[in-house]
């Protein structure tokens, strides 16, 4: 199978999730709070991103645009990009309802240099991003291509060490290899989406990739970015493992009975 058919399968899955996420029956997306101006960036992003006022910002894999609207509220001139037509449609509608101006562009991350070539001061991409992308070196090149000289990438996502694990019989078990070749993705089947909404999905299959920290860092360095911050966190804004417990502000952590492992990775990298 070629990369295009991996993308098509994944996009069908995302297209089906969009109306469930827009409905937000479980409150996972804090849609009403976002539209009413109460929701902000998560505490990890807020403490690490820095001042974005007046900056031209590209939000890659913006999904239904709620995060993008928070970025505009923090002062950025934001463009969101996502390959799901329904997600982009929902993002435009939320932007209109909230009265917050943002631009939303439909397309694949790998086509960003053609779709949104204007140089950006910041590329922002967080939580559920590179697992959907087969080639991490090319991802880094895309980011370098759309950043202005001196521009910043901010990235935060689940840690590859955590992505290797599954909770089985109450224990975390190393289940998946630590790196996924671009041409041989992990194949997942999930009957429902991750928000806790039990609406069954028809397009249950997805293809995903685990990218080791070394490949993320080497890809960015090879693309001409300098890493100015790299952090690991014991928190995630969703619960990949049932055993996780609330850690405040919408984050989750492992229970005290389990050895600490890094659950999230965040970095700032600057185009030289
Ligand atoms: C978990 S969501 C990201 C959530 C996002 N961080 C937010 O702020 O809501 C993943 C998104 O990636 C998008 N996506 C997956 N693969 C993509 C690709 N190759 N190009 C563009 N978007 C992609 C999906 O459509 C989906 O909206």
């Amino acid at each position: 199978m070629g990369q295009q058919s991996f993308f098509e399968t994944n996009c069908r899955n995302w297209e089906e999730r969009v109306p469930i996420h827009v409905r937000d029956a479980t409150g996972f997306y804090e849609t009403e709070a976002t539209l009413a101006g109460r929701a902000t960036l998560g505490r990890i992003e807020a403490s690490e991103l820095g001042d974005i006022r007046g900056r031209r910002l590209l939000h890659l894999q913006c999904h239904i645009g709620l995060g993008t609207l928070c970025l505009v509220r923090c002062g950025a001139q934001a463009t969101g990009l996502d390959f799901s037509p329904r997600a982009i449609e929902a993002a435009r509608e939320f932007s209109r309802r909230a009265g917050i101006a943002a631009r939303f562009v439909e397309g694949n991350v790998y086509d960003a240099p053609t779709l949104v070539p204007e140089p950006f001061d910041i590329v922002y991409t967080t939580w559920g991003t590179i697992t959907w992308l087969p080639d991490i070196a090319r991802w880094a090149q895309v980011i370098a291509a759309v950043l202005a000289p001196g521009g910043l990438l901010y990235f935060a996502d689940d840690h590859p060490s955590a992505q290797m694990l599954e909770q089985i019989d109450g224990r975390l078990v190393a289940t998946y290899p630590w790196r996924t070749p671009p041409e041989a993705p992990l194949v997942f089947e999930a009957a429902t989406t991750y928000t806790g909404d039990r609406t069954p999905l028809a397009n249950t299959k997805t293809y995903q990739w685990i990218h080791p920290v070394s490949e993320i860092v080497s890809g960015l360095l090879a693309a001409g970015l300098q890493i100015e911050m790299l952090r690991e966190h014991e928190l995630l804004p969703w619960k990949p493992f049932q055993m996780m417990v609330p850690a405040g502000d919408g984050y989750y952590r492992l229970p005290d009975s389990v050895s600490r492992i890094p659950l999230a990775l965040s970095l700032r990298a600057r185009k030289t």
Side-chain angles (χ1 to χ4, degrees):
M1 259 177 102
Q3 283 189 3
Q4 192 52 36
S5 58
F6 297 143
F7 292 140
E8 284 166 10
T9 300
N10 286 346
C11 195
R12 276 195 293 276
N13 173 269
W14 280 107
E15 283 283 90
E16 207 183 344
R17 293 191 213 208
V18 166
I20 302 170
H21 294 181
V22 167
R23 204 161 57 238
D24 199 26
T26 60
F28 181 93
Y29 273 100
E30 296 187 300
T31 304
E32 287 313 318
T34 306
L35 296 182
R38 295 194 302 277
T40 54
L41 297 178
R43 69 175 187 247
I44 293 179
E45 306 91 293
S47 66
E48 296 179 341
L49 178 60
D51 187 359
I52 60 172
R53 281 174 298 178
R55 303 298 168 88
R56 297 163 298 179
L57 182 149
L58 177 62
H59 184 189
L60 289 178
Q61 296 174 254
C62 65
H63 195 40
I64 53 178
L66 295 170
T68 321
L69 300 185
C70 291
L71 291 160
V72 176
R73 269 205 203 99
C74 294
Q77 300 165 28
T79 299
L81 181 133
D82 200 286
F83 74 176
S84 155
R86 281 177 157 187
I88 290 299
E89 195 185 318
R92 289 183 181 141
E93 174 62 13
F94 282 141
S95 159
R96 195 192 57 73
R97 276 172 57 190
I100 296 177
R103 182 168 63 128
F104 291 99
V105 177
E106 181 190 315
N108 198 304
V109 166
Y110 290 115
D111 297 327
T114 321
L115 294 171
V116 281
E118 50 272 67
F120 291 91
D121 304 309
I122 300 172
V123 170
Y124 177 97
T125 191
T126 60
W127 311 125
T129 59
I130 57 174
T131 191
W132 302 102
L133 304 179
D135 185 334
I136 205 67
R138 200 148 68 86
W139 168 78
Q141 287 162 8
V142 160
I143 289 163
V146 297
L147 275 177
L152 178 81
L153 163 68
Y154 178 75
F155 166 79
D157 217 330
D158 51 344
H159 198 289
S161 306
Q163 289 178 306
M164 292 168 50
L165 306 177
E166 284 279 8
Q167 179 173 335
I168 299 173
D169 296 335
R171 294 169 59 88
L172 294 181
V173 179
T175 306
Y176 307 108
W178 67 297
R179 55 168 25 130
T180 318
E183 67 286 357
L186 300 170
V187 184
F188 291 100
E189 291 280 348
T192 57
T193 189
Y194 48 78
T195 59
D197 191 310
R198 307 313 300 163
T199 305
L201 298 173
N203 295 287
T204 51
K205 184 190 271 191
T206 58
Y207 296 104
Q208 297 182 45
W209 291 264
I210 295 175
H211 302 293
V213 178
S214 58
E215 290 186 8
I216 298 170
V217 169
S218 328
L220 292 170
L221 294 175
L225 280 82
Q226 281 185 349
I227 313 286
E228 59 179 40
M229 184 213 82
L230 178 67
R231 289 190 186 152
E232 293 163 302
H233 309 265
E234 295 180 5
L235 301 171
L236 272 177
W238 75 97
K239 273 176 79 167
F241 312 119
Q242 268 313 310
M243 64 169 65
M244 289 173 77
V245 296
D249 300 335
Y251 285 90
Y252 298 89
R253 63 175 179 81
L254 290 171
D256 293 336
S257 54
V258 173
S259 296
R260 302 267 82 82
I261 58 161
L263 295 175
L265 175 76
S266 59
L267 65 81
R268 289 165 54 99
R270 201 167 289 279
K271 179 169 167 177
T272 49

